[in-house]
């Protein structure tokens, strides 16, 4: 049984750690909204969801840096972003919708690209490309 290595203080990046702390706080808020949508029977699993985040320009700048990674971080099929109207507050709002498209049999994400590849009619474009390679 090995112990996890301790971080080397010379390689610590406080700015990166701060960004991820903010991303995890946003994730926590999204998880609460997803749970509420589940209770209301709007969605079954979180992968059935599209999350639309309305946030301040500062928060959106952070989210845009990680835009391609956000669906995986939030465990949803799609993430949309809109700029909020009031820059003075750091509040954000989260709206949960049914994700568009069909469920991919490989990754279970709901994508509009499912069925585009005739060689893999039940898979999304990303999964089809992986299998074709």
């Amino acid at each position: 049984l090995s112990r996890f290595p301790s971080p080397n203080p010379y390689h610590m990046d406080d700015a990166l750690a701060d960004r991820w702390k903010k991303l995890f706080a946003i994730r926590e808020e999204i998880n609460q909204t997803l749970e509420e949508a589940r209770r209301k029977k709007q969605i079954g699993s979180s992968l059935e969801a599209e999350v639309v985040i309305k946030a301040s320009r500062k928060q959106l700048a952070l989210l845009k840096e990680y835009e391609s990674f956000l669906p995986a971080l939030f465990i949803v099929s799609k993430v949309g972003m809109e700029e909020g109207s009031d820059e003075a507050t750091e509040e954000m709002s989260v709206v949960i919708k049914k994700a568009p498209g069909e469920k991919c049999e490989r990754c279970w994400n709901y994508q509009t690209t499912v069925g585009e590849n005739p060689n893999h009619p039940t898979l999304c474009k990303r999964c089809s490309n992986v299998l074709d390679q």
Side-chain angles (χ1 to χ4, degrees):
L1 298 173
S2 298
R3 298 200 185 274
F4 282 104
S6 299
N8 184 333
Y10 296 109
H11 296 134
M12 295 298 289
D13 184 343
D14 292 335
L16 179 63
D18 185 52
R19 284 196 305 268
W20 277 97
K21 184 177 180 180
K22 290 175 183 173
L23 285 170
F24 282 125
I26 292 169
R27 179 180 169 203
E28 183 63 34
E29 189 168 333
I30 287 171
N31 283 342
Q32 290 173 359
T33 309
L34 285 168
E35 273 304 313
E36 187 176 316
R38 237 184 246 116
R39 277 194 301 269
K40 292 179 179 179
K41 307 280 189 218
Q42 292 173 318
I43 59 169
S45 80
S46 62
L47 288 175
E48 292 178 19
E50 172 184 358
V51 173
V52 180
I53 303 168
K54 193 172 201 176
S56 69
R57 186 175 295 142
K58 187 177 178 183
Q59 287 174 317
L60 284 179
L62 171 66
L63 291 168
K64 292 268 184 200
E65 281 185 63
Y66 297 93
E67 187 171 11
S68 65
F69 181 67
L70 293 179
L73 179 64
F74 303 147
I75 313 173
V76 297
S77 289
K78 188 174 180 184
V79 175
M81 292 177 261
E82 299 174 1
E83 189 172 326
S85 58
D86 188 4
E87 286 296 319
T89 68
E90 285 293 317
E91 289 187 27
M92 68 175 207
S93 64
V94 178
V95 175
I96 305 296
K97 303 186 216 178
K98 274 279 210 194
E102 300 292 320
K103 183 178 180 179
C104 173
E105 283 188 352
R106 183 172 179 266
C107 68
W108 293 14
N109 282 295
Y110 285 75
Q111 301 290 331
T112 57
T113 60
V114 171
E116 287 183 357
N117 185 334
N119 295 327
H120 306 289
T122 60
L123 302 182
C124 67
K125 183 178 181 178
R126 183 180 63 95
C127 291
S128 294
N129 289 341
V130 168
L131 292 180
D132 285 341
Q133 291 176 2

